[in-house]
């Protein structure tokens, strides 16, 4: 199942949908997750309060098209929330375990994301970096 499915399920009281293409879209719909297609998106121009792309943009060959679409979907003052791996500390992409050819096709540093956001009319707000949190079932509370 796509990474965003838990987020969509958790927001059932809000008017929320996912967007996916390919085989996973049918699988998500079969699981009861509302998933939009390209035609549905065209009808939402200027109607979305929030667009999220959680670990998505690295899969998109044309990030400019993604930002144009997100901007078109958002209401004035709407929020685009995205996350992706940080390529800044990795100078040799061949050594980065995040690089998976034909799956992760675009790589970003904070300055390149900010540049793309600003180029497409967004106001970037850098909130710093957060480390992932690892837990196990035997951890003490």
């Amino acid at each position: 199942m796509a990474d965003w499915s838990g987020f969509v399920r958790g927001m059932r009281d809000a008017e929320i949908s996912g967007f996916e293409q390919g085989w996973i879209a049918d699988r998500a719909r079969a699981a009861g997750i509302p998933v939009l297609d390209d035609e549905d998106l065209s009808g939402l121009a200027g109607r979305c309060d929030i667009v999220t792309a959680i670990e998505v943009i690295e899969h998109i060959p044309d990030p400019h098209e993604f930002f144009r679409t997100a901007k078109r979907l958002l209401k004035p003052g709407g929020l685009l929330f995205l996350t992706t791996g940080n390529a800044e500390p990795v100078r040799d992409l061949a050594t980065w375990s995040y690089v998976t050819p034909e799956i992760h096709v675009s790589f970003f540093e904070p300055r390149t994301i900010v540049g793309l956001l600003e180029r497409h009319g967004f106001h970037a707000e850098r909130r710093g970096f957060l480390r992932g949190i690892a837990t196990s079932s035997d951890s003490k509370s």
Side-chain angles (χ1 to χ4, degrees):
M1 193 63 59
D3 290 342
W4 49 262
S5 63
F7 177 77
V8 173
R9 280 191 191 109
M11 299 297 292
R12 292 241 181 201
D13 292 337
E15 186 179 337
I16 187 167
S17 298
F19 173 77
E20 188 61 76
Q21 296 174 314
W23 64 270
I24 195 69
D26 291 333
R27 188 170 174 189
R29 286 185 191 102
I33 300 168
V35 178
L36 305 174
D37 60 22
D38 288 321
E39 187 176 314
D40 297 325
L41 281 185
S42 66
L44 290 176
R47 296 182 46 208
C48 298
D49 294 305
I50 302 171
V51 171
T52 65
I54 300 169
E55 302 302 306
V56 169
I57 195 166
E58 63 274 11
H59 300 272
I60 300 173
D62 183 358
H64 293 285
E65 179 60 27
F66 165 79
F67 284 109
R68 285 190 293 270
T69 299
K71 187 70 171 175
R72 185 174 59 249
L73 291 171
L74 286 167
K75 292 178 180 177
L79 173 70
L80 171 61
F81 178 84
L82 65 89
T83 64
T84 189
N86 178 8
E88 185 174 45
V90 184
R91 288 294 146 210
D92 181 4
L93 289 180
T95 65
W96 192 19
S97 62
Y98 194 72
V99 174
T100 309
E102 297 184 21
I103 295 174
H104 291 161
V105 297
S106 298
F107 304 97
F108 305 93
E109 298 180 6
R111 66 183 176 83
T112 58
I113 287 287
V114 168
L116 281 166
L117 287 165
E118 290 175 350
R119 180 175 180 178
H120 291 283
F122 290 96
H123 169 74
E125 293 186 22
R126 296 177 76 173
R127 299 295 177 141
F129 298 98
L130 300 175
R131 296 190 187 280
I133 299 171
T135 61
S136 66
S137 59
D138 63 330
S139 63
K140 308 236 191 269
S141 300

